Structures are given as C-alpha cells and as structure tokens.
Amino acid sequence: MILRCIECGKEYDPTEVRYRCECGGLLEVLVDLDKVENVFDGKNITLWKYESFIPVEKRVSLNEGGTPIYRLENLQTELGMKELYVKNEGANPTGSFKDRGMTVGVSKALELGMDKVICASTGNTSASLAAYAAKSSIKAYVLVPSGKIALGKLAQAIVYGAKVVPIRGNFDDALRVVVEASKELGVYMLNSINPFRLEGQKTIAFEIFDQLGFVPDKVILPVGNAGNISAIWKGFKELYEAGFINKLPQMIGIQAEGASPLAKAWKERRDFKSLKKPETVATAIRIGNPANWPKAWRAVEESGGVLESVTDEEILKAQKMLASKEGIFVEPASASSLAGLMKLRNETEEDESVVLITTGHGLKDPNIILEGFELPEPIEPSLEAFKEVL
Ligand code: F0G
C-alpha cells in the first residue's frame, strides 16, 4: 500500500501524517490488488467483510455497512422503469454513510498514534467522527457553520462528547480553519480530503455488487464536498481491476442548485469556479468549494456519467415521494438522488438498472418536514369527535 498524488504521481509513505501532495494535489491510497479476496457471495454483508481491500490494521467499529438495498417497486412503475433500487445509507450506526469513512479514518488515527481528531462539517461528518472518537476514547473537535446544521446532527455531536465549535461562516470557511489547525496543533484531520476516509466509503460499491450480484448501469448520488462519488468510483474500479466484475457503472452526481459549482462547470464545459455563498435547504450539501472536485470530475468523466443540479423544490418533492410511496425517510440532501433521476429521466433507458444512494437518515432533520406541515387542532377524546375528522 502506498499514497500517491493524483496530479503529479509523487508517492508517499502511508505511515506519515499527510493529506495533500507537496504540489497541492489530492492523494489516493493504492491498495495491492493482488492480495484482495473474492468474497462477493451475497452473504453476511458488513463493511469489514471487505477487509482485504481496506488499508488499516487497527479496527474501531460500530458495525457499519451492510445497509439495505431496496427495490423501489412503486416508484419504478410510476417512472416507467424496470429496475430501480435505493441503497439506504441512513441505516448506518450514526445514520449516514460517513460511518464507513470514520471506521477506517479513526482506525488510521489510532495507528498513527494520534489522540485528537478534527473535522469541518455540515453535520453528518461531525456526528460520525464524534461517535468513533468516543468509542476510541480520543478527543474530537468539530467545526460547524453556525445556524446551518440540522438539529439531530448537532444533538449527536454533543451527546457523543465532541467539542462542538460553531463558526461564523459556511462549511468551506470551517474547512479552511480545520486544515490550518491540523497542521499547527497536531490534530488528525478527518475530512474527506484525508484519503483513508474514502477507503471506507468505497465499500458502498462492494456492497452494491455483493447485494445485487451484478453492476448496475447507473449509480446516482448527492455531491457536496465530492468525496463520496470519488470513493464509490474507486471501489468499482478496484473490483474491475481485480477481475471480479467486467463492467463499470456510470456515476451521476447531483448538487443542489444553490450550491452547484461542479454541475454548472460540467454543463457549461468550463473550469470549475468556487461559489462564495452556497445556499440550499439540503444543508448537508451546502458547499461552494468542493475540496475533492478533481477526483469527482474524473470519476464522472471516466465513467461516462454526468453532473446535474436540482432545485430545493425538486429535492423536497422527492423526499416526500420516497417516504410516502416507499416507506424510506431520508434527509433532504439524500433525496437529491431521486430528484436527479427524475430530472434526467429522459436520458435513462427504460430497461436500465439504476441504484440511488440515499446518504443520511430523515430523522436527522425533522424540522424541514414540520415547517411545511400544519398540525390540525386537537379533538375531544371521543369516538364521535374522531369520526368527524375522518
Ligand atoms: N449527503 C449527505 C447526507 C451528506 O452529509 C453529505 C456530506 C453528502 C451527501 C455529500 O457527500 O461531501 O462526499 O460529496 N456531508 C459532509 C458533512 C460535508 O460534513 O457531513 P460528499
């Protein structure tokens, strides 16, 4: 195993604490694919089933992964499709896919002998880091955009015992401070520019293949800091290079319109420019300067995919559809995968198989539902009164 810069190819020793190349490029972990095991038999699925692909020795685990994949029987009929699935990452221990990154990332922190960890977060990363730090008895610091983090996520970070620091600014501002703090204060940084985070998250690809028994034509997911789409693509490529699969899916990344610098650049075929004031109801992906954009861009390009954006209205409509037609309650950011599919429906063939990734649990952000719903006046506790409101 080695760390390599995706821009200049310079290699680094993975026992060194390093997040970027000297040239500024992002790093990736190269795993020895001669040593990986073909364990894809559809049984006993958990993240650590794929341990031969995961480049850490230590293991801090809360039993992450093994999330359900559902066939969306109602929605696929409604949308005129044959095979539509959701992989529901809200079923992870802290309610989001971030747990996959943190089980590996915090394990790496311990291997490196670090006793403090830090991240910037729109909410889920902070909740997850806080939980895995608690399990490891190390200190977690989390910087979050003041007033722009969903209630449930904030409660999680607090109860797991992290030092929660709200900042006057957005996620991008918080990440800047965190990068500086990790250098100056010797705290291990666990945002998704840390390549070990992505080594955990790539297991979403392994599970999709393991659960379905085939590789879908398209994988659609929300894009914020652009780590997850890069990680899932890396997972599929490793399966391909190991000779376990013989096709690759198209990777389709969805951003919220008010925070869509990547989707805009993609559509206009121009260079990516960061956005100073991102805004969206999907606070998890309220990000104007996605740090992993070069990896994400390559994932979409290599896979023949696309980057698209959806409005807040489309996101909330999709959130309601998933809950009321399929019984799956996801947070707004996660619903952007379905919103994206509906927007791109004309570009999808009827018989294509599509997997939507829903990234976080709906209960993390209950306010967004209650704000749009007026509870009726209470009734008298009698059958007559009940019959009147039926
Ligand atoms: N969906 C949810 C629910 C998220 O929390 C995030 C990112 C994403 C999608 C986007 O993933 O950044 O890998 O492109 N949340 C981060 C956080 C930024 O701090 O919790 P990405």
Side-chain angles (χ1 to χ4, degrees):
M1 186 241 307
I2 198 96
L3 279 178
R4 192 177 64 186
C5 173
I6 68 160
E7 303 296 345
C8 73
K10 188 170 161 108
E11 293 185 352
Y12 294 93
D13 175 358
T15 58
E16 168 188 352
V17 177
R18 169 171 285 282
Y19 311 105
R20 277 189 189 271
C21 180
E22 280 160 8
C23 79
L26 294 166
L27 298 175
E28 68 178 350
V29 181
L30 296 190
V31 177
D32 189 351
L33 292 175
D34 292 335
K35 301 213 176 97
V36 296
E37 287 165 33
N38 192 345
V39 291
F40 300 87
D41 57 2
K43 294 186 194 134
N44 304 324
I45 294 172
T46 72
L47 180 141
W48 289 101
K49 178 179 177 185
Y50 315 105
E51 62 185 348
S52 64
F53 286 85
I54 301 176
V56 289
E57 299 295 328
K58 281 208 166 26
R59 190 180 299 186
V60 185
S61 175
L62 291 166
N63 288 354
E64 45 295 308
T67 56
I69 201 156
Y70 300 106
R71 183 87 176 252
L72 299 184
E73 272 138 6
N74 298 325
L75 281 176
Q76 75 181 15
T77 309
E78 192 165 321
L79 296 172
M81 294 175 64
K82 289 220 173 87
E83 266 189 282
L84 179 59
Y85 303 87
V86 152
K87 175 125 179 95
N88 190 18
E89 288 294 293
N92 274 298
T94 78
S96 84
F97 71 97
K98 305 286 180 177
D99 295 342
R100 295 181 186 271
M102 289 307 173
T103 183
V104 177
V106 174
S107 299
K108 183 69 188 176
L110 298 184
E111 263 178 40
L112 292 167
M114 308 296 282
D115 62 356
K116 297 186 198 77
V117 286
I118 190 167
C119 71
S121 181
T122 55
N124 283 322
T125 301
S126 64
S128 185
L129 180 64
Y132 285 84
K135 177 83 178 167
S136 320
S137 308
I138 59 174
K139 183 80 199 155
Y141 302 92
V142 305
L143 276 72
V144 297
S146 175
K148 291 288 183 183
I149 147 168
L151 204 67
K153 302 175 187 178
L154 189 59
Q156 286 180 293
I158 293 169
V159 80
Y160 292 133
K163 168 96 181 147
V164 179
V165 184
I167 64 148
R168 274 186 223 104
N170 58 32
F171 170 86
D172 307 299
D173 301 315
L175 184 56
R176 197 169 22 81
V177 177
V178 161
V179 168
E180 285 168 23
S182 63
K183 277 193 212 129
E184 292 270 319
L185 310 175
V187 188
Y188 194 56
M189 195 252 296
L190 276 165
N191 279 101
S192 55
I193 49 172
N194 182 323
F196 287 93
R197 272 271 313 273
L198 304 192
E199 292 304 296
Q201 290 171 214
K202 75 184 180 188
T203 56
I204 293 177
F206 301 164
E207 289 190 10
I208 290 174
F209 171 57
D210 209 355
Q211 287 169 311
L212 293 179
F214 61 89
V215 176
D217 296 308
K218 289 187 162 85
V219 174
I220 310 186
L221 74 157
V223 169
N225 210 25
N228 209 29
I229 192 167
S230 316
I232 298 174
W233 179 239
K234 186 173 192 284
F236 278 115
K237 279 209 317 197
E238 286 182 1
L239 287 178
Y240 189 84
E241 282 159 24
F244 299 163
I245 59 175
N246 54 17
K247 80 170 235 198
L248 289 161
Q250 286 178 289
M251 299 300 297
I252 301 184
I254 311 294
Q255 296 199 293
E257 196 157 283
S260 58
L262 277 179
K264 272 206 183 76
W266 184 268
K267 275 189 246 177
E268 294 166 17
R269 282 274 143 205
R270 60 161 166 80
D271 284 346
F272 157 74
K273 276 195 228 85
S274 65
L275 190 73
K276 286 276 166 308
K277 287 198 163 41
E279 208 46 82
T280 167
V281 68
T283 51
I285 50 173
R286 186 174 163 270
I287 293 175
N289 189 20
N292 285 298
W293 79 265
K295 283 186 181 174
W297 194 276
R298 286 175 205 191
V300 176
E301 209 152 49
E302 282 173 27
S303 72
V306 62
L307 288 159
E308 183 52 275
S309 62
V310 290
T311 64
D312 281 359
E313 212 181 341
E314 288 167 327
I315 288 174
L316 295 177
K317 184 175 164 210
Q319 183 191 32
K320 218 176 203 166
M321 282 174 79
L322 259 181
S324 63
K325 295 182 192 273
E326 297 287 351
I328 303 170
F329 181 24
V330 303
E331 65 168 287
S334 303
S336 55
S337 346
L338 176 60
L341 169 69
M342 293 199 291
K343 185 154 179 188
L344 295 168
R345 184 61 196 92
N346 293 340
E347 290 157 49
T348 312
E349 301 295 328
E350 190 191 320
D351 57 356
E352 276 183 331
S353 53
V354 176
V355 174
L356 307 173
I357 315 279
T358 51
T359 43
H361 203 292
L363 287 175
K364 284 172 173 275
D365 192 1
N367 294 15
I368 194 73
I369 304 299
L370 298 173
E371 276 163 22
F373 181 79
E374 204 166 322
L375 210 59
E377 284 296 307
I379 60 163
E380 289 307 316
S382 70
L383 182 58
E384 286 69 43
F386 176 56
K387 281 185 181 158
E388 268 174 40
V389 296
L390 281 185

